[in-house]
Amino acid sequence: FERAGRVIPFSYRGVDLRSMALLPLARRGELEYLGLSEACARYGVAYDAERAHDALYDAEIAAALACELLREA
């Protein structure tokens, strides 16, 4: 949130990125499966499938995706 210039609006530290990614699509009637790779492709975040499931890489990509979603919010 801080990287995106936003105040953390929650008292907890966990964020459901899948729900955040699906919300704009659902508003347009688009209901589809979005895993991390699909969400990254949909929102223009570079994703390396070779590095997928490495804990640090997944955390970095999730953070980049969260920043992108917050920018669009």
Side-chain angles (χ1 to χ4, degrees), residues 18-48:
R18 181 175 288 173
S19 294
M20 286 177 64
L22 282 173
L23 186 58
L25 301 177
R27 286 182 179 151
R28 294 184 295 216
E30 299 176 38
L31 299 174
E32 60 188 68
Y33 173 80
L34 283 183
L36 186 57
S37 63
E38 292 86 6
C40 287
R42 175 65 98 152
Y43 291 98
V45 175
Y47 182 83
D48 182 356

Side-chain angles (χ1 to χ4, degrees):
F1 289 98
E2 291 169 2
R3 278 197 250 166
R6 301 290 180 115
V7 174
I8 298 173
F10 313 110
S11 60
Y12 50 90
R13 297 290 180 194
V15 176
D16 182 356
L17 287 178
R18 181 175 288 173
S19 294
M20 286 177 64
L22 282 173
L23 186 58
L25 301 177
R27 286 182 179 151
R28 294 184 295 216
E30 299 176 38
L31 299 174
E32 60 188 68
Y33 173 80
L34 283 183
L36 186 57
S37 63
E38 292 86 6
C40 287
R42 175 65 98 152
Y43 291 98
V45 175
Y47 182 83
D48 182 356
E50 296 286 321
R51 296 179 62 199
H53 305 295
D54 173 78
L56 179 58
Y57 180 73
D58 285 355
E60 291 170 343
I61 289 300
L65 178 60
C67 287
E68 188 60 35
L69 291 168
L70 288 169
R71 282 188 197 97
E72 290 194 15

